Amino acid sequence: NGDTRLFLGNLPFAISEPTLNSHLNESITHIKWITDRETGKFYGSAFVEMRTSKDAAKAVTQINGTQLMGRPIKINYAPMRAGEEGDWPPKSRVITGGKLANAGGGGQAGGKGVKAMAVKPEGCCKLFIGNLSYDIDDDGITKFFMSVDAEVKSVRWLHHRDSGDFKGCGYVDFWNTEACEKAAALNGKNLLGRPIRIDWAE
């Protein structure tokens, strides 16, 4: 069929436009990340426009169900509905729905500007993590870093001294500096709807 628009589901929350495009043989021309209209939280799905109907067919028949960052990606055709012709493909190459629409759009699903990290200390095995959702827990952060094969040794959450309330940040120790480096690459990625802030810790 001549359709070039696809629906992608079960995407990892840490997905970015370049990673997705390379998984689909560099044949995506436009992406619309599907996010909650109010909170901007990424739902793990997207609409994409493919270069040709051949590329779209290849994605549906050959790439559907393959592992992307440890999750089997779902790919289906998403034919145009009546009245959508004017809105698709979108005007910008990468679109984030909700109020965060194109905020600083670095092409990342969670997209806000990512703060540059400090210089890595020699042999560093510890990271500071901030801008965390209050729903985060040990299991959630461990799985987040395991998406890049970075095994967590221990986690320490920071709380306000007086109220005991969670500050939305903490420290994570890794077994070795290689794992720490892999984990640091997730700086700015979407975790529970917020771009995580990561920096080296002594």
Side-chain angles (χ1 to χ4, degrees), residues 135-142 157 192:
D135 297 328
I136 192 64
D137 55 19
D138 290 20
D139 192 41
I141 201 73
T142 301
W157 304 113
L192 296 176

Side-chain angles (χ1 to χ4, degrees), residues 114-121 124-132 145 169-174 180-181 183-188 196-202:
V114 177
K115 190 171 171 286
M117 294 175 65
V119 179
K120 181 187 174 196
C124 181
C125 292
K126 188 178 190 177
L127 294 177
F128 168 82
I129 50 173
N131 194 34
L132 301 170
F145 287 127
C169 56
Y171 291 96
V172 183
D173 282 292
F174 295 89
C180 191
E181 207 152 279
L186 293 175
N187 184 26
I196 188 171
R197 194 160 84 69
I198 296 179
D199 216 334
W200 309 110
E202 293 287 357

Side-chain angles (χ1 to χ4, degrees), residues 14-36:
I15 189 71
S16 64
E17 186 266 332
T19 310
L20 185 60
N21 206 357
S22 84
H23 195 70
L24 270 70
N25 303 320
E26 303 292 339
S27 54
I28 295 174
T29 63
H30 297 80
I31 294 183
K32 182 179 183 183
W33 303 113
I34 299 173
T35 52
D36 183 284

